Amino acid sequence: MNQGKGNVPASAAADRREAILRAAVSQGLLHPEDALVAAFIDLDGVAENVAALHREFSDIPDVLHAFAAKANCLVPALAALKDLEMGCEVASEGELAQALAAGFPPARIVFDSPAKTVRELRQALSLGVAINADNFQELDRISQILEHSPSASTIGVRINPQVGVGGIEAMSTAGATSKFGIALNDEGNRSRLLNAYRQYPWLTSVHAHVGSQGCPLSLITEGISRVVEFADEVNTVAGRDRISTIDIGGGLPVDFETDDLISPFGSYVEALRHEVPALFSGRYSIVTEFGRTIMAKFGFIAAHVEYTKEAGGQQIAVTHAGAQVAMRTVFLPEVWPVRVVAHDGYGGIKGGVLVPQDVAGPCCFAGDLVAKNRLLPVLEQGDIVTLLDTGSYYFSTPFSYNSLPEPGVYGATVEADGTVRFTTLRLPQTIADLLERSGASQLPVPAVLP
């Protein structure tokens, strides 16, 4: 990924971010004393991206686009996606609760956790939430539950097509030894799966997810092709139309290097049309599970520069955005670099000579850097830095290191006259909230000192 060579060039997207940031500063959502760091989601941009998703997949007769809640689990953000006619994919009891709180009908929720408990399965089956079983033991559990409590849930099996890994191994889920799903090519598994579909009439779906960032389209489509071949085989062996739904997962890579905001859904659909034409035949209902692809490009983090210094000839700007909101970037900077933009204290793009600088966070360890030796206009106390393309996985799931409070998150819409309006998606965490979360209320009330 591109490490960046300075402030992002002028573009419509940059102008929109600057307008949102200026409005946030003027309205006190970002303040050098009371709101040191905040995060923003361009809700108009998200809506445009989702509209492109629906449009590009419109040739498939029956498709549910289920947003992967792990990418941004803030309930108001999920509710906004629900209003855009998306479903929701969840991978834990907590994410299921968040999806329900956001108003998703159970029939438009897909439960994919690899470690579902009996309690979680009972809840999902009683609600009618779709379930993708991860392994043979889970299939046995589901069977035992259904013996006593019939369900309206669509139930499938997650298979691992074992087509290999992409450029980021940790983001790839279709390697030979992936922890996810039933390895399709391992000895005996294919016949065991076919027997399961013969045995269980409620087993009507199949699921695969090849991976996400770093996986090329060719790898993703190869994995999906293997799944469709398996579905066709099941329908031949177990009876026509036994499998009626194919969940093809998500994983379309995100462009973290430019201001091209709308995801390349069209290229993906064309690749699917060429490699897996059966998806467009009407024989199967289709489910997708895009997450990062939907939200990443439309979120950014803004933080004040508290101090600047020089050490060993290196310029360092200490800001309030570090590992607590950008954990992947701090711990894996070569894999997850972010674009950093310098602004003045009012939110305007900062100009000037570009100088190599480290942009550090507030966490108390030496590696808390969101950018190293990055060319930026000279940062000064009171300036603001923005971390771009962080709408997924960054501020929505903060890291509690050093007990730094979780920042406020705000959805932004821009009216025709340029007016920016904000909706609170998550209130800034107060110190009282932080103490409650860390168990302070479990202690006896301390004595009042004279």
Side-chain angles (χ1 to χ4, degrees):
M1 291 183 183
N2 183 6
Q3 290 289 332
K5 296 185 178 180
N7 269 18
V8 176
S11 68
D15 291 343
R16 190 177 184 86
R17 284 193 301 267
E18 184 178 1
I20 291 171
L21 183 58
R22 283 182 177 276
V25 171
S26 69
Q27 296 181 37
L29 302 181
L30 190 69
H31 189 276
E33 294 182 9
D34 300 325
L36 304 171
V37 58
F40 304 90
I41 298 175
D42 177 357
L43 295 177
D44 295 327
V46 171
E48 292 174 10
N49 203 34
V50 172
L53 171 65
H54 287 304
R55 183 171 60 251
E56 296 296 346
F57 276 83
S58 60
D59 285 348
I60 296 179
D62 184 6
V63 58
L64 170 66
H65 297 295
F67 176 75
K70 57 184 171 288
N72 192 314
C73 59
L74 300 180
V75 173
L78 294 177
L81 293 169
K82 182 261 297 179
D83 291 342
L84 296 173
E85 300 184 356
M86 292 201 73
C88 192
E89 182 267 337
V90 301
S92 72
E93 186 176 21
E95 288 182 358
L96 176 57
Q98 289 164 330
L100 293 170
F104 286 98
R108 294 179 67 81
I109 299 174
V110 181
F111 193 13
D112 278 339
S113 166
K116 307 179 195 72
T117 66
V118 171
R119 184 187 69 251
E120 291 170 345
L121 287 169
R122 284 176 177 155
Q123 180 190 18
L125 290 166
S126 68
L127 290 170
V129 168
I131 293 175
N132 287 317
D134 182 79
N135 52 70
F136 290 114
Q137 292 175 356
E138 187 178 337
L139 280 177
D140 291 340
R141 278 187 174 177
I142 293 171
S143 177
Q144 292 167 13
I145 295 170
L146 292 178
E147 285 179 6
H148 305 286
S149 303
S151 172
S153 295
T154 297
I155 304 171
V157 177
R158 177 169 185 169
I159 66 172
N160 173 8
Q162 296 178 294
V163 293
V165 300
I168 306 175
E169 187 170 356
M171 296 290 104
S172 300
T173 56
T177 61
S178 172
K179 78 174 200 178
F180 291 102
I182 295 173
L184 187 60
N185 299 323
D186 280 15
E187 185 176 357
N189 277 356
R190 198 177 195 101
S191 61
R192 284 187 71 186
L193 279 167
L194 290 171
N195 286 336
Y197 278 93
R198 287 193 193 97
Q199 180 180 357
Y200 301 130
W202 41 262
L203 204 51
T204 62
S205 178
V206 66
H207 167 52
H209 176 63
V210 169
S212 53
Q213 198 67 20
C215 290
L217 283 184
S218 58
L219 189 69
I220 295 172
T221 56
E222 182 181 358
I224 295 170
S225 179
R226 301 278 181 88
V227 172
V228 173
E229 289 173 1
F230 175 75
D232 289 342
E233 183 178 0
V234 169
N235 286 341
T236 298
V237 171
R240 187 170 178 268
D241 299 332
R242 170 55 61 84
I243 290 181
S244 58
T245 300
I246 298 179
D247 185 333
I248 64 174
L252 184 62
V254 172
D255 169 15
F256 286 108
E257 299 180 2
T258 74
D259 267 344
D260 293 337
L261 299 183
I262 303 302
S263 299
F265 298 117
S267 299
Y268 180 52
V269 169
E270 284 306 307
L272 289 174
R273 194 186 304 277
H274 183 264
E275 299 295 332
V276 201
L279 293 179
F280 301 84
S281 67
R283 299 204 310 268
Y284 297 106
S285 298
I286 306 301
V287 178
T288 71
E289 298 178 357
F290 297 111
R292 180 184 292 109
T293 311
I294 300 296
M295 194 77 80
K297 298 290 291 184
F298 304 97
F300 67 91
I301 298 164
H304 281 280
V305 175
E306 192 68 37
Y307 298 111
T308 60
K309 63 176 77 173
E310 183 176 323
Q314 181 66 38
Q315 298 290 327
I316 303 170
V318 180
T319 80
H320 290 278
Q324 88 280 22
V325 290
M327 183 168 59
R328 291 187 179 191
T329 293
V330 168
F331 289 110
L332 293 169
E334 294 182 0
V335 177
W336 297 106
V338 294
R339 296 185 291 154
V340 178
V341 180
H343 303 260
D344 61 33
Y346 299 99
I349 295 289
K350 188 165 187 175
V353 177
L354 303 183
V355 176
Q357 297 163 83
D358 290 354
V359 182
C363 296
C364 195
F365 65 94
D368 186 28
L369 302 171
V370 295
K372 188 169 179 61
N373 213 34
R374 190 72 60 87
L375 287 170
L376 293 165
V378 176
L379 290 165
E380 303 169 283
Q381 277 186 293
D383 282 346
I384 296 169
V385 295
T386 53
L387 313 184
L388 307 188
D389 307 330
T390 50
S392 295
Y393 296 104
Y394 280 76
F395 53 78
S396 59
T397 46
F399 178 35
S400 298
Y401 195 89
N402 281 145
S403 295
L404 292 163
E406 297 177 0
V409 182
Y410 306 94
T413 57
V414 182
E415 299 185 356
D417 64 358
T419 302
V420 179
R421 301 201 181 279
F422 293 103
T423 302
T424 300
L425 304 182
R426 183 180 69 208
L427 287 168
Q429 187 181 42
T430 66
I431 294 300
D433 295 335
L434 190 151
L435 287 172
E436 177 62 29
R437 190 179 72 174
S438 54
S441 64
Q442 304 309 307
L443 295 177
V445 177
V448 178
L449 297 176

